Amino acid sequence: MESSEHERSSVREFHANGSSMSTSEVEAKLDEGNIQEAESSLREGLSLNFEEARALLGKLEYQRGNVEGALRVFDGIDLQAAIQRLQPSLSEKPPVKKGRPRTESPSSVSQHAASLVLEAIYLKSKSQQKLGKFAEAANDCKQILDAVEKIFYQGILDFQVDDKLQEIVSHAVELLPELWKQGGFYDEAISAYRRALLSQWNLDNDCCSRIQKSFVVFLLYSGVEASPPSLAVQIDGYYVPKNNLEEAILLLMILIKKFCHGKIKWDPSIMEHLTFAFSICSQTSILAKQFEDLMPGVYHRIDRWNSLALCHFAAGQNVSALNLLRKSLHKHERPDDLTSLLLAAKICSEDPYLADEGAGHAQRAFSNAHGPNEHLKGVALRMLGLCLGKQAKVASSDFERSRLQSKALESLEEATRLEKNNSDLIFELAVQYAKHRNLTAALRSARHFFNETGGSVIKAWILLALILSAQQRFPEAEVVTDAGLDQTARWEQGSLLKLKAKLKISQLKPMDAIETYRSLLALVQAQRKSSGSFQISSKVEDDKVNEFDIWHGLANLYASLSHLKDAEICLQKARELKEYSAAILHTEGILFEGRGQNIDALNASINAILIEPNHIPSKILMSALIHKMGTKALPAARSMLSDALRIEPTNRMAWYYLGLVHKHDGRIGDAVDCFQAASMLEELDPIESFSTCF
């Protein structure tokens, strides 16, 4: 864009061809409306031709603020005729002389004349811009660049132009894409940006950087999809961006390189735009590398740690992110920084063994959320509730688990009171209620979440269906699932189809379940083909069906129907996708048990636990097999089942087999309690564990 100094400068005298002339005489004639007399005075007083005189006259009107008057003057200039006269002398390389020339060379005189004419067209374009005539302004501005390219057909070199002419060219190059954008001509704006950056205009680093940043903003936020650069401007061996995102990232990387080489000053918006771009394409690990490579002093070390922690967290590298946050939250750094505390708590809430640390971070965040940060108290309570809920999973006693679960629910309920319209918080509260089998409250919160999101979030349908299945309302759960499938795009239907298959099994409709699994396999094949032909968005990637789960689910279904050969075929398909899996070994154990091969079944369950020590189904199967070996093995079975219930207290099969162990051990009272717990949980048992789904 043109500098304000250039627009505000006031011409008190005209200088040209070694002569000078006061503006007062010309201004007086302009005030009287005598444009031709004012033009004649300039031509006679400064030995100017028609175009040059008109150019000076229009410039004077523009600087006086008379935009419409300036436009009338500029309309009389014949640019093409002036360019044809100027082209021969400007194209020649000026002679190199030692010392300072006493008189202007013919080339410098021609460049001065060219500057007058081109500046006139530039100011005409600016006048039209101010009057809202963007298309006409852009076409006139384009004429300047076309003329310069015609004169300097090999590009502008440092020694070829004087400062004034270079300034006008730079302003025109920078203005043209802005004019096309203001007029709504976005394809022309993209072409103008690329022309500005790919042609040799001899722009200084600051001007070029401004154009690059403006183009980045347009590519990232305009919503206009830019077509790839034409073959005419592509150079063999050079990378050609395929879409807006790639082109924007390429430009931002060039800007960072310029800063590192000391060519431009640092602009924080560069990293802000780069953060947005890499976040969209889920490449935050590359963004982290850019933060690491920046020179010391650009960011404070704590700010750099926090930015890196966000990048690593988004890339799934939670350990690295947490280690950086621990450095940032050290007592000698910023121990009470709310953003760092909340992010650290969020990371810790995903791991039961870090949940205690996360609860501490969340509590400190709540204590420090005051004044302008009062609104973050709800977020801190939410993180505290999630951490306490996760911590309860590894509690050392039933009393401690119950205490932590109660505190977790209290924190989430208090957070909901502070943030009544936070849909994510409502969802998490519904899940916590469901995990503790408070199904009435869970259903109420799930419906609230569904209403808040309008059914646009797939997990709302899944949660509703699971809660209804836990209430043994299978037909209603299936209606919800079918409605979700109708409202959901094909690529996102995997989770709902898998849920529908399990609902069919629960309603004793195995053939319908098999048909649903076939639909899932067809969806997998379609996704595999599509991922090979074009890039799927990160959201769709998250919703892609896990083919292993489908084959494993089919194997379990066939095993329950005693179709052992079909079950083995499905297991083999699953094993090809994941060779070492506790789930596969558990299903193998069930097949061995069905054939009466209890030793092989026991070995399979042991191997499953070795792969995944907390795999509950394998612990239950192993306990059931040990329990059959006689009274001497009962303590081992009881210990295994107690461990399973420590991990998942609501597992009805664990309670049932523990009741059998107590019964055979002569502890009838304990057995009755266990059977009663199993019976109660059976009435509240969803078709799939809430902990597994969420």
Side-chain angles (χ1 to χ4, degrees):
M1 296 177 66
E2 185 182 13
S3 67
S4 58
E5 180 184 355
H6 182 79
E7 288 195 18
R8 290 197 301 262
S9 60
S10 179
V11 178
R12 307 311 332 151
E13 282 190 347
F14 292 120
H15 297 273
N17 300 325
S19 304
S20 62
M21 180 179 177
S22 174
T23 63
S24 57
E25 179 184 347
V26 178
E27 287 179 341
K29 292 180 180 179
L30 286 174
D31 291 337
E32 296 171 0
N34 298 323
I35 297 177
Q36 291 184 347
E37 290 185 16
E39 176 196 319
S40 298
S41 298
L42 282 174
R43 293 177 66 178
E44 293 172 4
L46 299 175
S47 302
L48 300 175
N49 61 31
F50 172 77
E51 287 85 3
E52 294 166 351
R54 281 267 174 167
L56 278 178
L57 199 59
K59 180 179 179 180
L60 179 61
E61 284 280 58
Y62 180 84
Q63 291 176 335
R64 294 171 69 200
N66 186 4
V67 176
E68 293 181 351
L71 199 54
R72 285 194 296 271
V73 174
F74 288 138
D75 281 337
I77 298 177
D78 187 349
L79 174 66
Q80 297 302 325
I83 293 302
Q84 287 175 1
R85 288 197 299 273
L86 295 169
Q87 186 174 354
S89 58
L90 282 172
S91 300
E92 299 172 1
K93 179 178 176 180
V96 180
K97 297 181 180 180
K98 293 183 180 179
R100 193 174 185 176
R102 294 182 182 178
T103 59
E104 292 179 311
S105 67
S107 176
S108 64
V109 172
S110 298
Q111 289 202 23
H112 179 72
S115 298
L116 285 175
V117 174
L118 294 180
E119 185 180 30
I121 305 302
Y122 173 74
L123 293 177
K124 178 184 177 183
S125 181
K126 291 289 291 182
S127 299
Q128 289 170 328
Q129 180 189 24
K130 291 183 177 182
L131 295 173
K133 300 178 180 180
F134 301 116
E136 295 89 336
N139 284 319
D140 282 334
C141 191
K142 183 175 179 294
Q143 276 189 312
I144 299 174
L145 303 186
D146 292 341
V148 172
E149 280 189 335
K150 191 173 181 181
I151 296 171
F152 303 99
Y153 56 88
Q154 292 183 336
I156 301 177
L157 303 178
D158 286 335
F159 57 78
Q160 285 184 308
V161 295
D162 60 22
D163 292 342
K164 183 63 178 177
L165 182 56
Q166 180 63 62
E167 181 186 7
I168 295 166
V169 171
S170 298
H171 286 321
V173 169
E174 196 170 354
L175 177 64
L176 182 58
E178 298 299 325
L179 292 172
W180 286 126
K181 284 194 302 183
Q182 291 172 10
F185 303 97
Y186 299 120
D187 290 337
E188 288 82 356
I190 292 167
S191 298
Y193 274 123
R194 288 172 176 163
R195 182 184 186 185
L197 297 174
L198 294 173
S199 299
Q200 295 184 21
W201 303 110
N202 195 35
L203 305 176
D204 61 52
N205 286 318
D206 289 337
C207 178
C208 185
S209 298
R210 285 196 303 272
I211 296 171
Q212 287 170 328
K213 282 185 280 189
S214 178
F215 193 19
V216 164
V217 171
F218 180 81
L219 289 169
L220 289 179
Y221 312 114
S222 69
V224 178
E225 187 62 37
S227 57
S230 64
L231 294 173
V233 299
Q234 295 182 16
I235 304 173
D236 291 340
Y238 282 78
Y239 174 75
V240 179
K242 302 179 184 64
N243 52 48
N244 286 33
L245 206 56
E246 290 187 5
E247 193 163 5
I249 290 172
L250 181 63
L251 289 168
L252 289 166
M253 301 286 269
I254 291 171
L255 286 166
I256 290 175
K257 188 175 181 180
K258 283 183 178 179
F259 166 72
C260 292
H261 290 170
K263 294 181 179 179
I264 60 172
K265 294 180 180 179
W266 176 245
D267 182 356
S269 69
I270 295 174
M271 286 305 293
E272 291 169 6
H273 297 316
L274 195 63
T275 299
F276 175 78
F278 277 129
S279 298
I280 286 179
C281 59
S282 302
Q283 296 294 331
T284 52
S285 56
I286 301 176
L287 178 63
K289 184 70 167 58
Q290 295 303 313
F291 275 110
E292 289 171 353
D293 290 345
L294 285 175
M295 291 184 294
V298 175
Y299 288 102
H300 190 282
R301 67 176 184 278
I302 300 177
D303 295 328
R304 189 192 296 253
W305 291 339
N306 291 342
S307 298
L308 284 170
L310 279 169
C311 293
H312 289 311
F313 173 65
Q317 301 167 3
N318 288 2
V319 175
S320 300
L322 187 58
N323 286 335
L324 286 163
L325 290 170
R326 284 167 176 162
K327 291 170 66 176
S328 174
L329 293 169
H330 190 272
K331 63 181 180 179
H332 296 309
E333 302 294 348
R334 291 181 194 163
D336 296 326
D337 181 68
L338 281 176
T339 305
S340 302
L341 286 168
L342 292 172
L343 180 57
K346 171 65 176 173
I347 294 171
C348 292
S349 72
E350 298 177 6
D351 187 337
Y353 297 99
L354 294 172
D356 184 37
E357 178 186 347
H361 292 315
Q363 191 62 58
R364 278 167 55 197
F366 179 79
S367 301
N368 287 286
H370 44 72
N373 296 317
E374 186 85 19
H375 64 287
L376 292 175
K377 280 193 171 182
V379 182
L381 284 170
R382 174 185 171 190
M383 292 299 110
L384 180 60
L386 293 177
C387 289
L388 291 172
K390 213 72 166 182
Q391 192 180 351
K393 288 190 171 185
V394 292
S396 56
S397 65
D398 292 340
F399 172 77
E400 181 67 10
R401 183 190 303 114
S402 178
R403 185 184 69 84
L404 290 170
Q405 288 174 344
S406 298
K407 289 181 66 177
L409 277 175
E410 287 175 10
S411 296
L412 290 174
E413 288 168 346
E414 180 62 27
T416 307
R417 282 190 284 272
L418 292 174
E419 299 184 19
K420 296 180 181 180
N421 297 321
N422 188 328
S423 58
D424 289 333
L425 182 54
I426 295 166
F427 175 80
E428 285 159 359
L429 183 60
V431 171
Q432 288 297 322
Y433 280 137
K435 286 179 179 179
H436 299 118
R437 298 303 188 267
N438 186 350
L439 298 182
T440 303
L443 186 60
R444 183 176 62 251
S445 295
R447 284 174 173 164
H448 187 185
F449 175 72
F450 185 88
N451 293 332
E452 286 289 324
T453 57
S456 62
V457 182
I458 193 170
K459 63 183 181 181
W461 298 97
I462 294 173
L463 181 59
L464 267 177
L466 278 179
I467 294 173
L468 290 170
S469 74
Q471 293 178 329
Q472 310 305 303
R473 297 157 66 179
F474 298 118
E476 293 177 59
E478 190 170 353
V479 169
V480 169
T481 305
D482 289 337
L485 288 169
D486 290 339
Q487 298 295 321
T488 307
R490 186 188 179 197
W491 298 125
E492 303 171 21
Q493 291 180 348
S495 300
L496 285 170
L497 283 171
K498 190 168 69 170
L499 203 61
K500 184 174 180 178
K502 294 190 175 183
L503 280 169
K504 294 292 186 184
I505 295 170
S506 299
Q507 297 176 84
L508 303 179
K509 298 177 182 178
M511 300 312 296
D512 290 347
I514 291 171
E515 193 61 35
T516 305
Y517 275 122
R518 285 176 181 166
S519 300
L520 271 167
L521 288 172
L523 182 58
V524 166
Q525 291 177 352
Q527 287 179 340
R528 188 183 296 123
K529 289 179 182 178
S530 67
S531 62
S533 59
F534 61 87
Q535 186 177 6
I536 301 177
S537 70
S538 58
K539 182 183 186 306
V540 174
E541 283 288 344
D542 293 340
D543 291 322
K544 285 182 73 174
V545 187
N546 189 328
E547 188 177 356
F548 170 83
D549 290 340
I550 300 171
W551 288 114
H552 181 248
L554 269 172
N556 283 333
L557 176 54
Y558 283 125
S560 68
L561 298 173
S562 299
H563 295 178
L564 301 186
K565 288 187 177 180
D566 291 332
E568 288 173 354
I569 291 171
C570 293
L571 268 186
Q572 182 57 37
K573 291 282 189 181
R575 194 179 290 108
E576 289 172 3
L577 296 168
K578 189 186 292 186
E579 186 175 359
Y580 301 104
S581 166
I584 288 178
L585 289 168
H586 169 255
T587 305
E588 282 183 352
I590 292 174
L591 293 177
F592 283 131
E593 185 185 23
R595 296 193 188 99
Q597 299 171 322
N598 289 350
I599 299 300
D600 291 333
L602 183 61
N603 289 335
S605 61
I606 291 171
N607 289 334
I609 294 171
L610 289 174
I611 291 174
E612 190 176 328
N614 290 334
H615 192 250
I616 305 301
S618 296
K619 285 179 178 287
I620 295 171
L621 176 60
M622 184 177 175
S623 303
L625 293 167
I626 292 174
H627 149 260
K628 294 179 181 179
M629 294 179 178
T631 56
K632 291 184 178 179
L634 292 179
R638 184 168 55 249
S639 174
M640 188 70 67
L641 289 166
S642 297
D643 190 47
L645 288 170
R646 178 188 61 80
I647 300 168
E648 191 177 335
T650 56
N651 191 298
R652 65 181 180 86
M653 294 306 297
W655 284 108
Y656 171 74
Y657 280 107
L658 185 59
L660 287 179
V661 170
H662 285 316
K663 178 183 175 183
H664 287 107
D665 202 23
R667 302 179 179 182
I668 304 302
D670 291 339
V672 169
D673 291 340
C674 291
F675 288 140
Q676 188 175 6
S679 177
M680 291 174 61
L681 288 170
E682 186 176 14
E683 296 175 0
L684 305 172
D685 200 27
I687 54 173
E688 192 168 356
S689 170
F690 292 108
S691 299
T692 305
C693 292
F694 307 110

